[in-house]
Amino acid sequence: MSGKRLQFVVGKGGVGKSTVTAALAMRAAESGLRVLAVEFDESGGLSRLLADGKTPSTTPFETRPGLYLCRVRGEDSLAEYLGLVVPIRRLLTTVFASRLYKYFVAAAPGLKELMAVGKIWYEFNKVGADGKPEWDLIVVDAGASGHSLQYLKMPAAAATTFRSGLVHREAERVAGLLRDPDSTEVHVVSTPEDMPLAEAIEIVHALHVELGIPVGEILVNRCRPPRPPGVDEAIELLSSAEAVSALQASGIGGDARDLHGGLLAAAVIAADADRRQDSGIARLEDELKTEALRLPWIACDDFTADELRRLSGSLA
């Protein structure tokens, strides 16, 4: 993967965005980088994978050496921002408690999304006592594609809507960071099924054409391993009448015909799944004119640090 300091992970719901984000963050931290992993709203995927389910806060906390986690919510980011520009705490408390403020936050279109991405901008530009950036890498689990694109498009929309003033200046700075190819990229995650692949294509087009935001890797998650040589020949052999006789002669217990039928059905289903996976990914690559990175299907009851490391190895 690249060395861009700000990386978003997006895709259709259920394709494993949080798992990929966690693997990216873990790999970077274990290579010696200081990493901030961010999840928007209440998704909880990163906290389950990286913090043993501990609920993250808006303040980054260390979950393992070099790896920090925080949750970004628009309401919290707005309150944090107001705390920076309004130093009188008693006045702030009065504002936050007012019904007008709560109505404004709930009703203002795009405000929460704008403030959430503004929080990312703030963390990106934060520096330590040595004057160097606080984070070597910020990786963001941006949620399902519809919601994540709302987050990513809001700064540019706000900068256009407000032609001048504070909102315009702040939104333009955030939008500039999202469009900066030297700093930012968005990874698009799919699985090798028709609907997620089609949505991945739509996301990439939206990022390129509508938003002008750099696209990173196209990641196809939960891929079947490459087919071993001789699969088609083996299926042809299993389809022959001699296969039943061979099973009967082998001394395997049970009904040879039932066993033969089960083996043949399993082989045909597996071969068909391989072909559908390969043809779907080929269509994706042809449409986007780029090569997708295939991530393996890791079968397990629960993703632990060991499984994340296995996945992160595929991201190298």
Side-chain angles (χ1 to χ4, degrees):
M1 306 294 281
S2 77
K4 309 286 180 65
R5 284 188 54 225
L6 177 56
Q7 300 182 21
F8 291 85
V9 180
V10 305
K12 181 178 173 60
V15 298
K17 296 178 301 300
S18 296
T19 305
V20 170
T21 306
L24 278 170
M26 176 181 286
R27 176 174 175 269
E30 292 185 346
S31 71
L33 299 182
R34 184 176 170 89
V35 180
L36 175 63
V38 178
E39 60 184 358
F40 282 151
D41 294 324
E42 308 293 337
S43 59
L46 289 186
S47 56
R48 175 178 55 81
L49 291 162
L50 297 176
D52 298 323
K54 179 181 177 182
T55 302
S57 68
T58 56
T59 302
F61 68 96
E62 192 170 22
T63 66
R64 58 194 69 206
L67 178 53
Y68 293 74
L69 175 65
C70 77
R71 174 175 292 167
V72 172
R73 299 172 67 248
E75 300 95 321
D76 297 331
S77 298
L78 176 58
E80 184 177 358
Y81 175 76
L82 290 175
L84 295 174
V85 299
V86 181
I88 305 174
R89 182 166 298 276
R90 185 173 60 184
L91 176 59
L92 273 180
T93 301
T94 303
V95 169
F96 294 154
S98 71
R99 292 190 344 189
L100 180 60
Y101 171 80
K102 294 175 182 177
Y103 174 81
F104 171 72
V105 171
L111 176 63
K112 291 184 285 187
E113 289 84 356
L114 177 61
M115 296 309 301
V117 184
K119 169 69 172 177
I120 302 298
W121 180 92
Y122 171 78
E123 292 293 344
F124 181 89
N125 288 281
K126 186 189 296 184
V127 296
D130 57 1
K132 296 180 179 179
E134 182 79 8
W135 311 110
D136 298 311
L137 170 66
I138 299 174
V139 57
V140 183
D141 178 6
S145 55
H147 204 189
S148 61
L149 291 178
Q150 283 296 113
Y151 280 111
L152 294 173
K153 71 174 57 172
M154 190 48 60
T160 301
T161 302
F162 297 91
R163 300 283 182 169
S164 62
L166 176 63
V167 174
H168 172 81
R169 292 195 301 271
E170 294 294 321
E172 188 59 41
R173 288 197 297 181
V174 176
L177 173 62
L178 295 181
R179 293 191 296 257
D180 182 4
D182 295 325
S183 301
T184 303
E185 63 185 354
V186 179
H187 305 302
V188 181
V189 182
S190 178
T191 49
E193 290 86 35
D194 289 342
M195 288 186 63
L197 290 169
E199 189 156 330
I201 293 171
E202 293 177 3
I203 294 169
V204 172
H205 287 323
L207 291 169
H208 272 312
V209 178
E210 296 177 33
L211 305 180
I213 296 176
V215 177
E217 298 285 350
I218 310 302
L219 306 164
V220 183
N221 194 25
R222 302 176 192 151
C223 286
R224 296 172 60 84
R227 297 174 68 188
V231 168
D232 292 332
E233 291 81 358
I235 292 175
E236 186 176 346
L237 179 61
L238 277 171
S239 302
S240 67
E242 290 80 2
V244 178
S245 300
L247 286 171
Q248 288 173 332
S250 70
I252 296 175
D255 188 287
R257 290 188 179 278
D258 288 344
L259 180 58
H260 169 262
L263 288 172
L264 179 58
V268 169
I269 290 171
D272 182 59
D274 290 338
R275 282 190 289 269
R276 285 188 285 107
Q277 170 181 286
D278 292 342
S279 63
I281 295 175
R283 287 195 302 272
L284 172 86
E285 293 176 330
D286 182 65
E287 177 74 25
L288 299 179
K289 302 298 185 289
T290 190
E291 184 177 355
L293 179 59
R294 299 189 185 200
L295 303 180
W297 181 289
I298 299 176
C300 60
D301 292 332
D302 190 25
F303 253 73
T304 66
D306 290 337
E307 282 75 35
L308 282 176
R309 289 190 184 93
R310 285 178 58 193
L311 185 62
S312 68
S314 302
L315 296 168

